[in-house]
Structures are given as structure tokens and as C-alpha cells.
């Protein structure tokens, strides 16, 4: 059994007024409302999505 690293992210700014692709990225990461937290497997794909919307989220 291998344990996978996880990463927690929190939505701290509203995606209203942002690009549609950035809003779709927020939803793709499983974030809905402000201050919502999502725990995801730490992969390069997830890291890229976080980098894309780094101004909207906080890594916990």
C-alpha cells in the first residue's frame, strides 16, 4: 500500500468577474462557496490548476 500525498486548498476570493476558464478551474478543484476547503491528491495536474488560480485560493 502506498500512501498518496494530499493537499488542502481553500477558496478565499470570489471568482465573480474572473475569466470563465478560471471559474471552471475553481469548480474542477471541488470548490463552491467562499471559505470552502477541498482536499486533493498532490499531482502535477492539480498543482498546475492551483497555480492558474493562485490569486483566488490559499494552500493550507
Amino acid at each position: 500500500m502506498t500512501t498518496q500525498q494530499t493537499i488542502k486548498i481553500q477558496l478565499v476570493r470570489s471568482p465573480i468577474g474572473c475569466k470563465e476558464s478560471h471559474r471552471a478551474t475553481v469548480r474542477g478543484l471541488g470548490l463552491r462557496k467562499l471559505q470552502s476547503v477541498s482536499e486533493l491528491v498532490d499531482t502535477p495536474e492539480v498543482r498546475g490548476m492551483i497555480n492558474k488560480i493562485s490569486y483566488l485560493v490559499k494552500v493550507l
Side-chain angles (χ1 to χ4, degrees):
M1 298 274 181
T2 60
T3 59
Q4 295 182 338
Q5 295 289 338
T6 60
I7 188 167
K8 278 188 176 182
I9 56 171
Q10 181 179 26
L11 186 63
V12 294
R13 288 193 57 200
S14 173
I16 295 173
C18 297
K19 290 182 176 181
E20 185 63 38
S21 64
H22 290 202
R23 275 183 263 160
T25 303
V26 169
R27 292 304 303 264
L29 288 171
L31 300 169
R32 292 177 176 261
K33 297 180 178 180
L34 282 179
Q35 308 305 320
S36 64
V37 177
S38 183
E39 188 169 350
L40 303 163
V41 177
D42 191 9
T43 62
E45 294 82 5
V46 170
R47 288 282 181 160
M49 291 171 79
I50 292 170
N51 286 338
K52 183 176 181 179
I53 59 165
S54 62
Y55 62 100
L56 296 175
V57 297
K58 176 171 68 171
V59 177
L60 303 176

